[in-house]
Amino acid sequence: MTVLVIAEHDHATVKPATLNTVTAGIACQSGDVHVLVAGANAAEAAAQAARIAGVAKVIAADSAALTDNLAENVAAQVLAIAGNYSHILFPATANGKNVAPRVAAKLDVAQISDITKVVSPDTFERPIYAGNAIATVQSADATKVITVRTTGFDAAAKEGGSAAIENAQGVADSGKSSFVGREVTKSARPELTAAKIIVSGGRALGSAEKFQEVMAPLADKLNAGLGASRAAVDAGYAPNDLQVGQTGKIVAPQLYIAAGISGAIQHLAGMKDSKVIVAINKDPEAPIFSVADYGLEADLFTAVPELVKAL
Ligand SMILES: Cc1cc2nc3c(=O)[nH]c(=O)nc-3n(C[C@H](O)[C@H](O)[C@H](O)COP(=O)(O)OP(=O)(O)OC[C@H]3O[C@@H](n4cnc5c(N)ncnc54)[C@H](O)[C@@H]3O)c2cc1C
């Protein structure tokens, strides 16, 4: 049977999370990998998906009902073709996690969430207890509906493939929900889950003003994404979408710099797979030092500006 990957896209471009999900799809060793681009006027995104290495076919479903990514409509689009597939993989992004459970429920199968490894076509690994244990899950369901933790899989090459593009009938609006509005934070900085470098600040920053004053110049110098601990977010120092961790974003950049972050397990759950971790903390006992490749025992209000100056 064949594997279906549900593309994450904005109708014009395919988001990087799709590339990692394609790698997971290939690892399922269950035959060809197809990619569904469910969108509105999304021919450009479909063309990009067709160039991803390892993709055999792109299913392009175009419908005005798919303009705003309403989960009810996207789920219906997936279900319209689900019968052809043994595995249906979504990136474990907000979008993927919104649609996958609806698809699993309608197919009457168990969803396999947040996989980090494919052991065999029916057996997968996934972290549990905030990443402190890895569960090996075997599924006997005919269709495996899976969300993929993108940091667990390398990105497939963006270019190099030449998949055929097949047009599928787009679904009609389910009428179950309607799009009201969207508030998007505009930032020139790279998006956290795609950033190669992330600098994160914690409760130690003490205020929103200090968070910006101290952390933003470092992020700008390094062309990095800006992250935060939950304590910093809860205190209002940083917006919610910057939160890294178990209940925030899961990231694995090349370089993660944590300043004034203690290293609670819930924070580590979101960043400990980063390639190189640098911790700046004035407490030598701070748990963040146990995962850090480089630790600087220092006051961040001195160390971070010095670092910016040196860069
Ligand atoms: C269910 C659940 C889910 C959670 N999810 C998340 C999550 O997704 N992400 C997350 O981050 N947390 C999460 N938490 C919260 C987590 O347990 C911690 O409370 C939080 O991560 C602490 O944030 P912090 O390290 O910024 O603050 P603190 O723990 O208060 O640490 C501040 C650190 O700054 C250091 N410091 C202070 N002043 C300075 C200075 N001038 N210079 C240098 N260092 C200094 C201190 O030594 C200390 O280590 C969750 C908790 C629960 C229960």
Side-chain angles (χ1 to χ4, degrees):
M1 287 281 274
T2 312
V3 175
L4 181 65
V5 167
I6 314 303
E8 178 101 358
H9 66 88
D10 61 5
H11 309 282
T13 53
V14 167
K15 303 281 181 189
T18 310
L19 304 175
N20 309 79
T21 311
V22 165
T23 301
I26 293 167
C28 289
Q29 299 168 5
S30 193
D32 284 350
V33 172
H34 294 180
V35 172
L36 171 66
V37 177
N41 300 319
E44 187 46 45
Q48 283 184 20
R51 295 199 295 272
I52 300 172
V55 174
K57 192 197 278 183
V58 170
I59 319 281
D62 234 70
S63 162
L66 297 167
T67 307
D68 297 308
N69 243 334
L70 294 176
E72 291 80 358
N73 294 346
V74 179
Q77 189 68 64
V78 176
L79 287 163
I81 58 169
N84 303 332
Y85 297 98
S86 58
H87 295 66
I88 303 176
L89 277 70
F90 298 79
T93 53
N95 272 329
K97 289 191 279 190
N98 204 0
V99 180
R102 299 166 199 270
V103 171
K106 286 282 190 188
L107 294 176
D108 197 19
V109 300
Q111 178 180 307
I112 307 157
S113 302
D114 221 11
I115 66 161
T116 49
K117 188 176 173 187
V118 178
V119 179
S120 72
D122 67 355
T123 307
F124 311 89
E125 285 185 2
R126 57 180 299 260
I128 55 172
Y129 304 127
N132 284 310
I134 303 294
T136 303
V137 181
Q138 187 169 35
S139 166
D141 286 328
T143 310
K144 321 284 188 243
V145 175
I146 296 169
T147 61
V148 175
R149 183 177 289 202
T150 52
T151 55
F153 297 88
D154 291 336
K158 234 173 127 177
E159 302 288 337
S162 56
I165 301 179
E166 183 182 299
N167 291 318
Q169 175 80 42
V171 289
D173 185 12
S174 72
K176 290 181 186 147
S177 59
S178 58
F179 178 74
V180 175
R182 177 178 288 126
E183 281 176 39
V184 182
T185 318
K186 286 199 174 64
S187 168
R189 296 205 179 88
E191 208 276 314
L192 272 186
T193 51
K196 299 231 172 338
I197 303 177
I198 294 175
V199 300
S200 277
R203 196 198 313 260
L205 271 305
S207 69
E209 293 70 33
K210 280 287 170 198
F211 192 93
Q212 277 306 316
E213 188 187 314
V214 177
M215 300 307 294
L218 183 58
D220 291 342
K221 275 274 178 190
L222 294 169
N223 190 25
L226 193 52
S229 71
R230 177 159 162 179
V233 169
D234 286 352
Y237 306 164
N240 196 276
D241 59 333
L242 298 198
Q243 184 177 319
V244 171
Q246 184 188 343
T247 44
K249 294 191 172 137
I250 311 278
V251 299
Q254 298 294 324
L255 173 62
Y256 187 90
I257 302 179
I261 293 180
S262 58
I265 51 164
Q266 296 90 354
H267 188 80
L268 301 187
M271 47 61 75
K272 68 176 168 11
D273 291 332
S274 304
K275 298 282 177 297
V276 175
I277 297 173
V278 175
I280 304 171
N281 198 301
K282 65 179 185 187
D283 174 9
E285 304 295 327
I288 190 80
F289 286 128
S290 66
V291 296
D293 299 282
Y294 299 93
L296 182 61
E297 189 193 322
D299 185 329
L300 74 89
F301 293 106
T302 321
V304 174
E306 274 177 10
L307 192 55
V308 173
K309 222 161 122 197
L311 286 164

